Each structure stands twice: as C-alpha cells, then as structure tokens.
Amino acid sequence: MAIQQSELILNPDGSVYHLNLKPENIAHDIIFVGDQDRVAKITKHFDSIEFSTQKREFKTQTGIYKGKRLTVMSTGIGPDNIDIVINELDALVNIDLETRKPKEKLTSLNIIRIGTSGSLHADIPVDSFVMAQFGLGLDNMLRSYLIDAVSNSEMENAFIEHTNWDLLKGRPTVIPCSSVLEKRIESNVIYKGITATAGGFYGPQGRVLRLNIQDPTLNSKMDNFRFEETRITNLEMETSAIYGLSALLGHQALSLNAIIANRANGTFSSDPYKAVDELIAYTLDKLAEQ
C-alpha cells in the first residue's frame, strides 16, 4: 500500500520535506554534526564537493574524501530533530518516492555522529575522544516507537533503580551502538562508555536558572552509575535517538565526542577547536580506509 501524502511529505521538486534531499544527493556513509557551521569544517578536507543544500538547520554536503563518497549533515539540536533526519534519510533509500511504497530490497546506511561534550570523570581528560557503546535516552521520543526489541531492558532497570528514576518522566531507553562501526572506528586512544541523551539543555541536564528541577541530585547519581563495568561517560542531546531509530530501521550508527570539558576536575580545553578538528580528521581517515 502506498504511503499517503500527509505521512511522507515531499517538496514540489520531489525532495523530502525537511532535508530538501533526493536519493542521489546522499552517500551511504553519513556524518552527523549538530552545528550547521561544522559541516564546512569537515568538507574542507574533501577532494571535491558534488552537492550542497540547506533548509532550516539541516545543511548537507556530499563529496569525495580520499576516493570515498561521504555525506556530512547538520541535524540541529535534540532528539526531535533526529526523528526528522533519520526517518527522512531512510525514506530516501528505502522508499520509492514515486510509488510511495517501501522497497523490497532495503539499504543500510552508516551514520556517525561527531560532537563535543563534557566528561563526567576525572580520568577522561579534555581533548580526548569518547565513543558511545550505548545511548541512554532520558527523553521520551523513542517511546513513540516499538523500541523494546532493540533496547537493553536490563540496563534500563538498573539505571531506574540506581537513580530512583521518577517514571512520570517516562521510562529511559538504552540502545547499543553498531558493533560493525565500533570495530571500524575504535582504537586504543578512544574511551568507551554510555552517552546519556537529554531532551533539553537546562532542566533536563540539571541546570538551574529560575526554575526548580524534579531531581537536583540526578547528575551525581549518574556519575557513579555502573553496569557490568560500563559507566556513563558524558551527557548530550542526540545519541540515543540516533541509535534507536537506526536500529529499528536497519542502519548502522555510532556516536563520537571530542571532550572539551571535564566536570569532575573543573578543566576546559585550552584549544577546543583543535580537539574537534583532530576527531574530524581521525574519523574521516577511518571511513576512507574501507
């Protein structure tokens, strides 16, 4: 059965509604960044750029790096934007946009997020790299989908018990990264752990300005959470959404962060731009190897 126009919205030129993209505009290896200005900081390393577009906060460039065709895309901030980006990317490769029917042969994209974050532990220093083996969703976006088949309920239960989580906020989700991309990108210079994903920047991450928050001790409880020697390394706003939707749709996803601050010892990188540039170069070279 064809998907209705109201459910899969296309622009007059046939591109998907929010991203303004057609299937031929994207590569199978896609790098996500939050900030639209960071797209050019990655594609400046490309040998050539074949396509570029922007609609709202979604900027996309596709080109060649060391013989490898890659796409770089800005997602903006938050799980709600990831819901748009992943679903529309999947539509580009797995739905025939003319017939509006899912394809019989499905395509799996490789999606790698490059971001910045703060470390929760003194032994993960500024200017280091962190790989999210798991995305811990503190928001409710993924609960709109049938997520249980790809989530780690045992780790979810352990986190709920450890933090005395208020289920009025919804049940947290824990989604593993792609083991394929983990092996492709990992090295002995990358720290691994759980990346927590909040649905907002202020209250959801424990920041207090003029509003009291539901659990002012949550951050400290997250700091000392352990599950089978795995700990929460950092806190941001996209990873679990990327992991959950990618797993449900059959895509490979991995989230990497350059650590520019260390909350445990109060330090901040003397050159955060250098740390990000080094993570970009590292990731591009790993992708170009295969």
Side-chain angles (χ1 to χ4, degrees):
M1 181 179 295
I3 300 169
Q4 294 181 338
Q5 293 182 6
S6 60
E7 308 308 292
L8 175 58
I9 304 171
L10 301 179
N11 295 310
D13 66 354
S15 62
V16 289
Y17 182 66
H18 296 91
L19 303 184
N20 216 32
L21 296 171
K22 296 179 181 180
E24 62 268 23
N25 300 146
I26 62 168
H28 284 183
D29 289 329
I30 301 175
I31 296 174
F32 281 178
V33 294
D35 184 356
Q36 55 194 317
D37 292 336
R38 193 170 289 162
V39 173
K41 293 179 180 179
I42 297 179
T43 59
K44 71 179 182 180
H45 298 283
F46 282 17
D47 304 314
S48 61
I49 296 174
E50 67 182 63
F51 175 81
S52 183
T53 192
Q54 180 168 359
K55 185 176 180 182
R56 304 183 188 185
E57 62 266 59
F58 307 116
K59 180 175 181 178
T60 303
Q61 290 189 326
T62 296
I64 304 296
Y65 176 79
K66 293 184 177 179
K68 184 77 172 182
R69 189 169 186 252
L70 300 171
T71 292
V72 184
M73 174 182 295
S74 62
T75 66
I77 299 174
D80 51 339
N81 274 17
I82 297 301
D83 183 56
I84 291 171
V85 172
I86 297 285
N87 275 292
E88 292 194 4
L89 283 175
D90 181 75
L92 288 173
V93 295
N94 289 322
I95 297 174
D96 185 318
L97 300 185
E98 293 186 3
T99 65
R100 295 180 165 272
K101 294 181 180 180
K103 297 178 180 178
E104 292 186 8
K105 183 179 180 180
L106 300 180
T107 296
S108 179
L109 298 171
N110 294 318
I111 297 169
I112 297 181
R113 178 180 185 270
I114 296 178
T116 57
S117 189
S119 166
L120 304 184
H121 302 283
D123 63 329
I124 302 179
V126 295
D127 303 326
S128 62
F129 303 157
V130 166
M131 174 186 291
Q133 287 181 299
F134 297 91
L136 166 63
L138 307 179
D139 63 295
N140 275 326
M141 191 278 288
L142 286 176
R143 291 294 175 191
S144 294
Y145 300 93
L146 302 175
I147 199 71
D148 290 348
V150 298
S151 63
N152 187 322
S153 60
E154 190 176 358
M155 192 182 297
E156 292 168 1
N157 291 334
F159 178 79
I160 290 168
E161 181 178 358
H162 177 80
T163 60
N164 192 28
W165 183 263
D166 186 349
L167 289 177
L168 288 175
K169 296 190 293 185
R171 179 181 171 87
T173 54
V174 174
I175 315 292
C177 71
S178 160
S179 59
V180 173
L181 289 182
E182 179 182 5
K183 292 175 183 177
R184 184 173 172 182
I185 302 297
E186 69 182 350
S187 75
N188 57 10
V189 301
I190 295 183
Y191 293 84
K192 295 182 179 181
I194 304 166
T195 293
T197 297
F201 183 77
Y202 288 96
Q205 294 191 36
R207 293 182 173 92
V208 177
L209 302 183
R210 293 203 313 117
L211 296 174
N212 292 327
I213 57 177
Q214 182 271 329
D215 185 359
T217 66
L218 178 60
N219 280 5
S220 62
K221 290 183 287 189
M222 289 172 59
D223 288 350
N224 55 43
F225 174 71
R226 298 289 188 280
F227 184 84
E228 298 178 352
E229 306 305 317
T230 304
R231 59 183 175 172
I232 298 172
T233 53
N234 59 313
L235 178 62
E236 47 83 90
M237 295 180 64
E238 289 84 28
T239 294
S240 73
I242 295 170
Y243 283 10
L245 291 175
S246 294
L248 289 173
L249 290 166
H251 305 298
Q252 308 295 320
L254 187 69
S255 179
L256 303 171
N257 275 276
I259 298 300
I260 61 173
N262 186 295
R263 198 178 76 193
N265 55 31
T267 55
F268 191 84
S269 174
S270 60
D271 191 351
Y273 298 108
K274 181 174 181 288
V276 174
D277 286 343
E278 289 178 349
L279 179 56
I280 288 170
Y282 174 88
T283 304
L284 286 173
D285 284 340
K286 283 290 187 179
L287 288 174
E289 287 176 0
Q290 302 178 35

